Amino acid sequence: MHGYLTIEQVGKSFDTQSGKFTALSNVSLEIEKGEFIVIIGHSGCGKSTLLNIVAGLSRATTGAVLLDGAVVDEPGPDRAVVFQNHSLLPWLSAYANVRLAVDKVFGKSKSSAERDEWTKHNLGLVHMNHALHKKPDELSGGMRQRVGIARALAMQPKILLLDEPFGALDALTRAHLQDTVMEIHQATKSTTIMITHDVDEAVLLADRIVMMTNGPAATIGDICSVGLDRPRRRLEAADTQEYARCRKQVLQFLYERHAKAA
Amino acid sequence: MTMGDAAKPARLRPWLAGLHFQDKARNCALLVVPPLITIGLLLLLWQLLCSQPGAALPPPSKVINDTWELISDPFFDNGGTDVGLFWQILASLKRVSIGFSLAAACGVALGVLIGQSSFAYRGLDPIFQVLRTVPPLAWLPISLAAFKDSNPSAIFVIFITAIWPIILNTAVGIRQIPDDYRNVARVLRLNAFEYFTKIMLPASVPYMFTGLRIGVGLSWLAIVAAEMLVGGVGIGFFIWDGWNSSLLSEIILALIYVGIIGFLLDRIIGFVGRLIAGRPI
């Protein structure tokens, strides 16, 4: 019985001047359709490498990734990525950035009016309808990241990959965006993998938290299932025993079992 | 009091943002008045230095007096090289525009090639680095020998002068395209043509236009020297002719025109670049 996304014995090594460097080894994970997975670990543990392999942006040295029964060997719009630094094209407006993706993915299957509608619909999901024609440098960091999420959603991907999307944002903006991501997940039931180094963010958003050991040869150290009901509200969730249990489990993993010298 | 003065510039900006008409006029004056003052002072200094008996160069008053015919009627045409300054400059601009357009087209194409392909970069970059240091006029004898005519030779000198900064800046522009944009293109599966038009060109336009601006400046520098040697109608030969006829005032007038046209060319390319890029470059 295989999951919707299967990561099977994935390893990644690089040839460096001082010999072979193994970043990841033996990573296996099954993800169900609609599941929200958060990957957490210290910086340099290969989280992003793993996400890039799922995205198809880099190739696994060993093992394979299967999405919906098909082997992943190149990037594609069925695995939309939201990059850490938003990576919007600065010469295009928010609308045009999303529209570029919509035109590419639905250019043949939807009419121009439908694509316009779909572009605006997705910008609406991230509450960005008020700034359709602003360029990225006229938007705040949080808004840029919202547009980046809208662009990814607009591709109607089989799986949404979020690479530390809120890493560069302040705490309040971060909380707003987390709420938006939860709303979207609730509404679209999109299968999602998100990378973070923020324990509260992981517990609040995840169905399962995947904890990575430190590199080299990083792998999955532990998995914590978060048994909180959805939809979740941050204040109420934070008061529950389950929240405290998960938080403690992740913290213990990160700071006792796999502490990293700063 | 000193503390208040130090804080002033920072406060000035937001205050200028909410402009009334008076503020606008004031802003304009802030831009125009300082250059007028420095130009006035320089002219005064020039006048004083060159008015002394035995001065080698004419003072500005004499320049204007001597060249008033040229200034007041730039459009006369007595045949041969005896034509008004408008026609002299137009002839030079024609040569520059042909040579520069060719350089822009070839330079951008070669820049894209060596920016995209590491093999082409390794193969061509050393050659470019050597050739670009050859002074423009050193190409002139070779081009005269090759084209056997003065006009194409002058145009070739412009071409070969302008092309290097265009190639090298375009290549830098292509190479600096962030991996993020490439990754976006890969996730969207843009084909080569879409990648070129939707990502590569807009991402590297500011660099291209930096190269084009340097290129147009260099071609304007080179045209004067080239025309001095090849002759015919053109601002360069006009200057050389002035020297042969000891008409220093005409040379000075021509220099001022050359400077202003060069400045305008630079601004025009900058303006076109901003227009195409849709952002300041």
Side-chain angles (χ1 to χ4, degrees), chain A residues 25 31 33 83 92 107 133 152 185 234:
Chain A
S25 98
I31 297 173
K33 194 167 183 172
F83 300 95
L92 296 179
H133 300 294
H185 181 245
R234 74 177 55 243

Side-chain angles (χ1 to χ4, degrees), chain A residues 145-173:
Chain A
Q145 212 48 273
R146 286 177 187 272
V147 177
I149 294 171
R151 176 173 64 185
L153 285 174
M155 299 177 207
Q156 224 166 36
K158 287 178 175 167
I159 186 161
L160 190 59
L161 305 171
L162 308 172
D163 187 358
E164 268 186 62
F166 313 142
L169 304 179
D170 64 86
L172 286 174
T173 311

Side-chain angles (χ1 to χ4, degrees), chain A residues 219-237:
Chain A
T219 188
I220 295 174
D222 198 358
I223 294 181
C224 166
S225 290
V226 182
L228 292 169
D229 295 331
R230 288 183 190 272
R232 295 175 186 167
R233 300 232 188 107
R234 74 177 55 243
L235 286 178
E236 289 158 23

Side-chain angles (χ1 to χ4, degrees), chain B residues 71-252:
Chain B
I71 298 172
S72 58
D73 183 12
F75 300 109
F76 72 84
D77 186 350
N78 297 335
T81 58
D82 187 13
V83 297
L85 277 171
F86 174 80
W87 304 111
Q88 305 277 6
I89 290 172
L90 189 69
S92 301
L93 280 176
K94 259 187 204 160
R95 293 190 184 105
V96 166
S97 60
I98 298 173
F100 177 70
S101 306
L102 289 172
C106 299
V108 167
L110 280 169
V112 169
L113 177 71
I114 66 169
Q116 266 300 90
S117 148
S118 295
F119 183 80
Y121 179 78
R122 283 190 211 111
L124 292 171
D125 190 58
I127 300 174
F128 292 164
Q129 295 296 346
V130 170
L131 289 184
R132 81 186 174 92
T133 64
V134 174
L137 283 189
W139 293 99
L140 193 59
I142 293 186
S143 54
L144 278 169
F147 294 110
K148 298 188 171 55
D149 190 6
S150 63
N151 208 34
S153 306
I155 290 172
F156 176 77
V157 169
I158 299 306
F159 169 83
I160 206 76
T161 308
I163 196 168
W164 311 116
I166 301 175
I167 295 177
L168 298 174
N169 280 285
T170 303
V172 170
I174 302 280
R175 288 177 157 252
Q176 63 74 42
I177 295 175
D179 276 343
D180 286 326
Y181 299 173
R182 291 180 204 273
N183 284 339
V184 169
R186 290 173 69 196
V187 168
L188 288 175
R189 292 204 181 129
L190 298 183
N191 61 36
F193 177 72
E194 288 167 328
Y195 178 69
F196 181 72
T197 56
K198 294 198 194 298
I199 308 245
M200 194 197 277
L201 270 188
S204 53
V205 152
Y207 290 80
M208 273 177 208
F209 272 86
T210 302
L212 290 171
R213 270 175 95 161
I214 299 172
V216 86
L218 289 180
S219 15
W220 193 239
L221 292 183
I223 190 68
V224 172
E227 283 177 348
M228 281 185 178
L229 296 179
V230 298
V233 175
I235 195 72
F237 187 66
F238 177 86
I239 292 174
W240 192 241
D241 207 30
W243 166 244
N244 284 332
S245 330
S246 304
L247 297 167
L248 280 180
S249 295
E250 289 192 4
I251 298 178
I252 290 170

Side-chain angles (χ1 to χ4, degrees), chain A residues 93-145:
Chain A
S93 67
Y95 174 87
N97 262 292
V98 178
R99 180 69 190 256
L100 175 70
V102 172
D103 282 347
K104 188 59 194 165
V105 177
F106 300 107
K108 291 192 180 105
S109 57
K110 284 186 201 263
S111 73
S112 173
E114 283 171 328
R115 278 179 270 144
D116 173 67
E117 169 69 21
W118 179 244
T119 304
K120 287 178 179 156
H121 168 76
N122 281 286
L123 280 159
L125 281 180
V126 295
H127 310 298
M128 283 301 293
N129 264 339
H130 62 284
L132 293 181
H133 300 294
K134 291 236 168 93
K135 299 257 172 79
D137 58 7
E138 300 169 296
L139 299 172
S140 68
M143 290 188 194
R144 282 179 219 160
Q145 212 48 273

